[in-house]
Amino acid sequence: TKMASLRWINMLLEKRRGDMTEFVPKLLKVLLKTLSDTSDSVVLFTLQVLARISLGDGGGPIDDTDNLDDNHQAEAHYGLLRGTKDEKHFKLVINAVLGLFSKDRALLENRGSLVVRKFCVLLDAESVYMLMAEVLSASCQ
């Protein structure tokens, strides 16, 4: 199933990032198509995998903010996926998603805000907005 495949890819990116790097461009094409899936759970998990691609070290496990004490809640604000961004792959993912939105207006209208919000939760919101602003600004020129 799609969910099982996404879980497998997510686990490989988390545990064996170095071995998966060469497959990222091919995975990205498939993952972008999956954003149009009718299942919300498939789309949400796809966004998690795309966010994990953006992290150079695979990002480690996702934190569950509901179970964090007050001292750790503030840390979760910066993103649930812990790790250092791989700028190359972060830009690749954001460019690909924005490119998809420019081609598929219906997807932008139906899932655009979900995609942006989920990336902001999983990654650092400021980085997401700054890169999106850079890409959109460059595309307008």
Side-chain angles (χ1 to χ4, degrees), residues 13 17 19-33 50 53 88-89 92-93 96:
L13 286 166
R17 173 60 187 227
D19 297 334
M20 292 296 292
T21 302
E22 68 180 280
F23 302 108
V24 165
K26 290 179 183 174
L27 280 172
L28 193 56
K29 291 177 186 176
V30 175
L31 292 169
L32 291 175
K33 289 179 187 173
L50 288 169
I53 287 172
K88 174 186 165 192
H89 286 110
L92 181 71
V93 168

Coordinates of all heavy atoms in Angstrom, one line a residue, residues 13 17 19-33 50 53 88-89 92-93 96:
L13 N 15.2 7.0 5.1 CA 15.8 8.3 5.1 C 16.3 8.6 6.5 O 17.3 9.3 6.7 CB 14.7 9.3 4.7 CG 14.5 9.4 3.2 CD1 13.2 10.2 2.8 CD2 15.7 10.0 2.4
R17 N 20.4 7.6 5.6 CA 20.3 8.8 4.8 C 21.4 8.8 3.7 O 21.1 9.1 2.5 CB 20.5 10.1 5.7 CG 20.6 11.4 4.9 CD 19.4 11.6 4.0 NE 19.6 12.8 3.2 CZ 18.7 13.7 3.1 NH1 17.5 13.7 3.7 NH2 18.9 14.7 2.3
D19 N 22.8 6.4 2.1 CA 22.5 5.4 1.1 C 21.3 5.9 0.2 O 21.2 5.4 -0.9 CB 22.2 4.1 1.7 CG 23.4 3.5 2.4 OD1 24.5 3.8 2.1 OD2 23.1 2.7 3.3
M20 N 20.5 6.7 0.7 CA 19.2 7.2 0.0 C 19.4 8.4 -0.8 O 18.6 8.7 -1.7 CB 18.1 7.4 1.0 CG 17.6 6.2 1.8 SD 16.9 5.0 0.6 CE 15.4 5.9 0.1
T21 N 20.5 9.2 -0.6 CA 20.7 10.4 -1.3 C 20.6 10.3 -2.8 O 20.0 11.2 -3.4 CB 22.0 11.1 -0.8 OG1 22.0 11.2 0.6 CG2 22.2 12.4 -1.5
E22 N 21.2 9.3 -3.4 CA 21.2 9.2 -4.8 C 19.8 8.9 -5.4 O 19.5 9.2 -6.6 CB 22.1 8.1 -5.3 CG 21.7 6.7 -4.9 CD 22.6 5.6 -5.3 OE1 22.6 5.2 -6.5 OE2 23.4 5.1 -4.5
F23 N 18.9 8.5 -4.6 CA 17.5 8.2 -5.0 C 16.5 9.3 -4.8 O 15.4 9.3 -5.3 CB 16.9 6.9 -4.3 CG 17.8 5.7 -4.5 CD1 18.6 5.2 -3.4 CD2 17.9 5.1 -5.7 CE1 19.4 4.1 -3.6 CE2 18.7 4.0 -5.9 CZ 19.4 3.5 -4.8
V24 N 17.0 10.4 -4.2 CA 16.1 11.5 -3.9 C 15.4 12.1 -5.1 O 14.2 12.3 -5.1 CB 16.8 12.6 -3.0 CG1 16.1 13.9 -3.0 CG2 17.1 12.1 -1.6
P25 N 16.1 12.4 -6.2 CA 15.5 13.0 -7.4 C 14.3 12.1 -7.9 O 13.3 12.6 -8.3 CB 16.6 13.2 -8.4 CG 17.8 13.3 -7.6 CD 17.6 12.4 -6.4
K26 N 14.5 10.8 -8.0 CA 13.5 9.9 -8.4 C 12.3 9.8 -7.4 O 11.2 9.8 -7.8 CB 14.1 8.5 -8.7 CG 15.0 8.5 -9.9 CD 15.5 7.1 -10.1 CE 16.5 7.2 -11.3 NZ 17.2 5.9 -11.5
L27 N 12.7 9.8 -6.2 CA 11.7 9.7 -5.1 C 10.8 11.0 -5.1 O 9.6 10.9 -4.9 CB 12.3 9.6 -3.7 CG 12.7 8.2 -3.3 CD1 13.5 8.3 -2.0 CD2 11.6 7.3 -3.2
L28 N 11.5 12.1 -5.3 CA 10.8 13.4 -5.3 C 9.6 13.4 -6.4 O 8.5 13.9 -6.1 CB 11.8 14.5 -5.5 CG 11.3 15.9 -5.3 CD1 10.8 16.1 -3.8 CD2 12.4 16.9 -5.5
K29 N 9.9 12.9 -7.5 CA 8.9 12.9 -8.6 C 7.6 12.1 -8.2 O 6.5 12.5 -8.3 CB 9.4 12.3 -9.9 CG 10.5 13.2 -10.6 CD 11.0 12.5 -11.8 CE 12.2 13.4 -12.3 NZ 12.8 12.7 -13.5
V30 N 7.9 11.0 -7.6 CA 6.8 10.1 -7.1 C 6.1 10.7 -5.9 O 4.8 10.7 -5.9 CB 7.3 8.7 -6.7 CG1 6.2 7.8 -6.1 CG2 7.9 8.0 -7.9
L31 N 6.8 11.3 -5.0 CA 6.2 11.9 -3.8 C 5.3 13.1 -4.2 O 4.3 13.3 -3.6 CB 7.3 12.3 -2.8 CG 8.0 11.2 -2.2 CD1 9.2 11.7 -1.4 CD2 7.1 10.4 -1.2
L32 N 5.8 13.9 -5.2 CA 5.0 15.0 -5.6 C 3.6 14.6 -6.2 O 2.6 15.2 -6.0 CB 5.7 15.9 -6.6 CG 6.9 16.6 -6.1 CD1 7.7 17.3 -7.2 CD2 6.5 17.6 -5.0
K33 N 3.6 13.5 -6.9 CA 2.4 12.9 -7.5 C 1.5 12.5 -6.3 O 0.2 12.6 -6.4 CB 2.7 11.8 -8.4 CG 3.3 12.2 -9.7 CD 3.6 10.9 -10.6 CE 4.4 11.3 -11.8 NZ 4.8 10.1 -12.6
L50 N 8.8 14.3 2.6 CA 9.4 15.4 1.9 C 10.2 16.3 2.9 O 11.3 16.8 2.6 CB 8.4 16.3 1.2 CG 7.8 15.6 0.0 CD1 6.6 16.4 -0.5 CD2 8.8 15.5 -1.1
I53 N 13.5 14.6 3.7 CA 14.4 14.7 2.6 C 15.2 16.0 2.8 O 16.4 16.1 2.5 CB 13.7 14.7 1.3 CG1 13.3 13.2 1.0 CG2 14.6 15.2 0.2 CD1 12.4 13.1 -0.3
K88 N 20.8 22.0 0.0 CA 20.5 21.6 -1.3 C 19.2 20.9 -1.5 O 18.4 21.2 -2.3 CB 21.7 20.7 -1.8 CG 21.5 20.0 -3.1 CD 22.6 19.0 -3.4 CE 22.2 18.2 -4.6 NZ 23.1 17.0 -4.8
H89 N 19.0 19.9 -0.6 CA 17.7 19.2 -0.7 C 16.5 20.0 -0.2 O 15.4 19.8 -0.7 CB 17.8 17.8 0.1 CG 18.7 16.8 -0.7 ND1 19.9 16.5 -0.2 CD2 18.5 16.2 -1.8 CE1 20.4 15.6 -1.1 NE2 19.6 15.4 -2.1
L92 N 15.6 22.0 -3.1 CA 15.1 21.1 -4.1 C 13.6 20.8 -3.8 O 12.7 20.8 -4.7 CB 15.9 19.8 -4.2 CG 15.5 18.7 -5.2 CD1 15.8 19.2 -6.6 CD2 16.2 17.4 -4.9
V93 N 13.3 20.4 -2.6 CA 11.9 20.1 -2.2 C 11.0 21.3 -2.3 O 9.9 21.2 -2.9 CB 11.9 19.5 -0.7 CG1 10.5 19.4 -0.2 CG2 12.6 18.2 -0.7
A96 N 10.4 22.2 -5.9 CA 9.6 21.2 -6.6 C 8.1 21.4 -6.2 O 7.2 21.3 -7.0 CB 10.1 19.8 -6.2

